[in-house]
Amino acid sequence: MSVGKITRTVVAGGLMIELADVVRELRDQLDSALAGSGSGPVRFELGPVEIEATVAIERAGGVGGKVNFWVVEANTDVSVASSRTHRVTLTLQPTLVAPDGTHHHVLVSGDEVDGER
């Protein structure tokens, strides 16, 4: 099943999202925050971003097949599949790459959004 750019499937008894789609969506949302940061004087340097997720690992096509990492959606009951799921933590360091290939720290600013903490 595909919703927008995100692929969802039923694996290990629950609805799952491919790990690559989770990281891609995070990157898109960080890009959006950067683009909408405005010209205000207060900026925040974006430090390491940690993602902790429960994943199901699926091997497609037997021994030589591709391995897929599926992230368990928050509202999925994983108790049935707990023996086949694993907890992983990814630490990502966002970097802004200029057209000349140089890397810069990412700065984000903007107005407070309702419900933001």
Side-chain angles (χ1 to χ4, degrees):
M1 169 185 353
S2 188
V3 178
K5 298 178 286 184
I6 298 176
T7 302
R8 288 183 167 85
T9 191
V10 176
V11 177
L15 191 59
M16 309 284 177
I17 303 171
E18 194 167 356
L19 180 60
D21 287 336
V22 171
V23 173
R24 189 175 308 110
E25 184 63 27
L26 174 62
R27 182 179 21 252
D28 289 349
Q29 289 187 28
L30 290 173
D31 284 345
S32 178
L34 179 61
S37 65
S39 59
V42 177
R43 299 285 173 123
F44 298 98
E45 185 171 326
L46 187 60
V49 176
E50 287 193 7
I51 301 172
E52 184 174 282
T54 300
V55 298
I57 301 172
E58 175 188 58
R59 182 183 303 270
V63 176
K66 177 182 173 184
V67 174
N68 291 316
F69 294 87
W70 297 97
V71 176
V72 178
E73 286 202 35
N75 59 350
T76 301
D77 178 16
V78 295
S79 60
V80 177
S82 63
S83 64
R84 292 178 272 169
T85 60
H86 308 274
R87 298 287 299 162
V88 295
T89 301
L90 304 175
T91 302
L92 309 172
Q93 179 63 52
T95 303
L96 186 62
V97 180
D100 66 0
T102 58
H103 292 238
H104 302 278
H105 295 284
V106 178
L107 300 177
V108 179
S109 70
D111 297 327
E112 181 179 0
V113 177
D114 288 339
E116 186 176 43
R117 300 177 88 187

